[in-house]
């Protein structure tokens, strides 16, 4: 269920192992290929996409970054990834581009991928033969499955269909959101800049050599109508500006406010239905982990399903939830750590500010602290 990164990568991994699947998606292909979301791929994510044969354009057009900059008290400090992590890097490549490549690869396999399905209902997953009922092009269809992979994101039907009491929910709301824009302007810096500022956090990122992605910390209930383009550029200039550095402006092509929360359900399974990606966990975007976690989940799930189909061995599937939750909680902690270090707390006081500055200066002056941030950012190989 779901043709986001989790569903599409899982379907492709299963295809490569000779296992049939049907991918059901409620949105249109057009919508998915233009939905702007994440953009930072860990080394392991980029390597996996390459290894499964969908990395050609990613390698051609993706921007390989060897570090990030942290800015506070009017200075920038660089965290160098390769020297701190044994040569690991990140690649900046928009999620919608990853999805485009995966949809093309799926269609090429000629295995089913159905867009714009309606009235989806899952059931029987505590039996040996779960079912999915849905509508497609005016027809009502019932699928009998061996397994269901609930890759249908944070508002999907799979998690919601699990009986009450079977899952434990862990959740945290943050008292801020990000106002994000895409601008037709060349990036003003080669790498991402994470800026801690008394007016709130700001992030300079990019999607390509001609498109900049920029974010401002705002209130969760912020009204976009109060943010005409000039106000956004002024505020970005204030929070990111430094003497001798220019923020490139350009036409704003997309604008949105995204709330920030942490959310995990345990276990990520109910009978023969497995949850993967955002359907089971959400992280605030400060650590750039959402898309990477989704891919890491289905990599483990595909191995478990392959063992079951190839020789009836269900032990890896039984361990699925426990195995992936270790990485999920590591990423939850890292995302919380980055968020808490970099955002101004609305009800914070001078003591909070001093603690944040002490943490920032520790990360930028101690090689061990910097290495800890770097290895989490590029993605831990073993968790
Ligand atoms: C606005 C926004 C901005 C983000 N920005 C960042 C960022 O900057 N950095 C970062 O790391 N992460 C970011 N994320 C998180 C990241 O995009 C997600 O973690 C990632 O998309 C997870 O992939 P997924 O496949 O699990 O879920 P999704 O990408 O959400 O895919 C789930 C799919 O299931 C489909 N679906 C839902 N319900 C049904 C149904 N009933 N039937 C069939 N299909 C269904 C949906 O249409 C969707 O295509 C952002 C998320 C959002 C929402």
């Amino acid at each position: 269920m779901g043709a986001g990164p989790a569903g599409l990568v899982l379907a492709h991994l299963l295809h490569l192992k000779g296992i049939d699947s049907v991918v059901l998606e409620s949105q249109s292909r057009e919508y998915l290929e233009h939905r702007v979301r994440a953009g930072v791929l860990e080394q392991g994510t980029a390597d996996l996409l390459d290894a499964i044969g969908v990395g050609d354009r990613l390698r051609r057009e993706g921007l390989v970054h060897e570090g990030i900059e942290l800015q506070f008290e009017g200075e920038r400090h660089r965290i160098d990834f390769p020297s701190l992590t044994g040569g690991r890097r990140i690649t900046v490549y928009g999620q919608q581009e990853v999805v485009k490549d995966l949809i093309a690869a799926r269609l090429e396999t000629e295995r089913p991928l159905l867009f714009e399905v309606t009235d989806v209902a899952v059931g029987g997953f505590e039996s040996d033969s779960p079912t999915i009922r849905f509508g497609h092009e005016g027809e009502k269809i019932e699928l009998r499955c061996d397994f269901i992979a609930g890759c249908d994101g944070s508002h999907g039907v799979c998690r919601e269909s699990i009986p009450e009491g079977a899952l434990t929910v862990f959740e945290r709301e943050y008292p801020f959101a990000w106002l994000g824009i895409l601008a037709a302007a060349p990036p003003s810096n080669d790498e991402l800049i994470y800026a801690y500022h008394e007016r709130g956090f700001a992030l300079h990122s990019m999607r390509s050599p001609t498109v900049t992605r920029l974010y401002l910390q705002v209130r969760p209930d912020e009204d976009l109508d109060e943010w005409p383009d000039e106000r956004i550029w002024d505020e970005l200039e204030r929070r990111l500006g430094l003497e001798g550095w220019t923020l490139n402006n350009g036409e704003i092509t997309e604008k949105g406010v995204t709330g920030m929360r942490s959310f995990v359900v345990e276990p990520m399974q109910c009978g023969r239905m497995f949850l993967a990606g955002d359907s089971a966990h959400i992280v605030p975007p400060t650590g750039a982990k959402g898309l990477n976690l989704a891919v890491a989940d289905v990599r483990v799930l595909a191995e478990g399903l392959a063992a079951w189909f190839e020789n009836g061995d269900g032990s890896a599937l039984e361990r699925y939830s426990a195995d992936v939750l270790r990485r999920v909680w590591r990423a939850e902690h890292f995302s919380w750590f980055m968020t808490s270090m970099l955002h101004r707390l609305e009800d914070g006081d001078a003591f909070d500010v001093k603690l944040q500055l002490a943490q920032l200066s520790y990360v930028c002056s101690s090689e061990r602290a910097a290495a800890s941030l770097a290895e989490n950012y590029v993605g831990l190989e073993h968790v």
Side-chain angles (χ1 to χ4, degrees):
M1 295 289 301
L8 290 167
V9 170
L10 177 63
H12 202 67
L13 286 168
L14 294 177
H15 160 72
L16 294 174
K17 292 174 190 294
I19 301 167
D20 270 339
S21 63
V22 178
V23 182
L24 303 178
E25 167 59 49
S26 54
Q27 299 287 349
S28 68
R29 178 178 181 182
E30 167 79 9
Y31 178 87
L32 297 186
E33 293 189 342
H34 293 92
R35 183 167 55 186
V36 176
R37 285 183 164 183
V40 172
L41 307 186
E42 292 176 355
Q43 169 103 37
T45 305
D47 289 349
L48 176 79
L49 294 173
D50 236 2
I52 64 175
V54 293
D56 282 0
R57 207 160 62 88
L58 158 71
R59 290 299 176 205
R60 258 194 339 267
E61 298 175 17
L63 309 170
V64 175
H65 284 196
E66 300 202 333
I68 54 169
E69 300 206 64
L70 296 177
Q71 178 174 324
F72 56 99
E73 295 191 306
E75 281 184 28
R76 272 187 206 150
H77 307 258
R78 184 162 184 274
I79 306 285
D80 183 77
F81 294 150
S83 65
L84 292 163
T85 64
R88 293 168 76 77
R89 295 161 171 81
I90 54 160
T91 304
V92 175
Y93 188 64
Q95 178 170 330
Q96 74 279 15
E97 304 304 325
V98 174
V99 165
K100 254 182 228 167
D101 297 342
L102 286 163
I103 289 176
R106 175 69 181 181
L107 295 177
E108 208 167 297
T109 66
E110 299 188 357
R111 295 195 196 262
L113 161 55
L114 276 53
F115 296 105
E116 299 180 71
V117 300
T118 56
D119 307 315
V120 176
V122 292
F125 37 84
E126 287 173 283
S127 74
D128 285 349
S129 179
T131 54
I132 306 177
R133 293 195 184 85
F134 62 98
H136 187 244
E137 297 178 344
E139 259 187 90
K140 285 191 190 321
I141 301 174
E142 178 174 312
L143 271 184
R144 293 200 164 275
C145 325
D146 290 311
F147 296 99
I148 299 174
C151 302
D152 50 348
S154 53
H155 303 293
V157 296
C158 290
R159 189 186 68 236
E160 291 300 316
S161 307
I162 294 176
E164 207 167 314
L167 300 179
T168 306
V169 175
F170 301 87
E171 203 167 3
R172 175 152 303 178
E173 293 279 341
Y174 298 88
F176 29 75
W178 280 10
L179 191 167
I181 62 162
L182 265 188
S188 314
N189 197 54
D190 289 342
E191 295 176 333
L192 276 74
I193 305 167
Y194 287 80
Y196 174 86
H197 191 274
E198 59 186 17
R199 297 177 65 85
F201 169 72
L203 173 62
H204 167 277
S205 180
M206 63 289 290
R207 286 295 178 266
S208 75
T210 54
V211 177
T212 308
R213 182 98 166 119
L214 294 147
Y215 297 96
L216 288 167
Q217 175 187 344
V218 293
R219 294 188 322 270
D221 58 352
E222 198 76 38
D223 181 0
L224 256 189
D225 291 343
E226 289 174 15
W227 287 88
D229 295 1
E230 316 81 75
R231 182 176 174 207
I232 295 177
W233 288 116
D234 284 351
E235 195 58 36
L236 285 164
E237 189 67 59
R238 281 185 173 153
R239 298 188 196 180
L240 285 163
L242 277 187
E243 186 112 9
W245 181 80
T246 314
L247 175 65
N248 297 331
N249 291 21
E251 186 198 345
I252 296 180
T253 54
E254 182 149 336
K255 234 190 248 191
V257 173
T258 313
M260 295 177 79
R261 70 184 179 124
S262 301
F263 173 92
V264 183
V265 293
E266 292 192 13
M268 288 169 53
Q269 177 193 3
C270 185
R272 285 187 172 227
M273 182 160 78
F274 295 87
L275 302 178
D278 276 18
S279 73
H281 43 72
I282 306 283
V283 283
T286 331
K289 288 285 163 251
L291 162 65
N292 295 295
L293 272 186
V295 172
D297 286 355
V298 296
R299 182 181 215 163
V300 177
L301 184 53
E303 288 299 325
L305 289 169
W308 190 89
F309 280 108
E310 279 160 20
N311 47 38
D313 178 1
S315 56
L317 282 180
E318 271 167 38
R319 287 196 316 270
Y320 166 74
S321 183
D323 281 355
V324 295
L325 278 164
R326 277 196 299 278
R327 177 178 291 273
V328 169
W329 277 111
R330 177 85 293 284
E332 288 289 348
H333 181 273
F334 179 66
S335 306
W336 165 86
F337 161 77
M338 290 288 280
T339 303
S340 318
M341 178 171 74
L342 287 161
H343 289 73
R344 287 301 281 233
L345 305 166
E346 204 155 271
D347 56 357
D349 56 17
F351 194 84
D352 291 301
V353 172
K354 289 288 184 191
L355 289 181
Q356 288 173 313
L357 289 170
Q359 184 62 36
L360 279 161
S361 88
Y362 175 51
V363 160
C364 296
S365 59
S366 152
E367 192 174 322
R368 288 183 189 171
S372 168
L373 188 152
E375 72 168 359
N376 278 279
Y377 201 97
V378 299
L380 291 157
E381 277 177 273
H382 305 287
V383 186

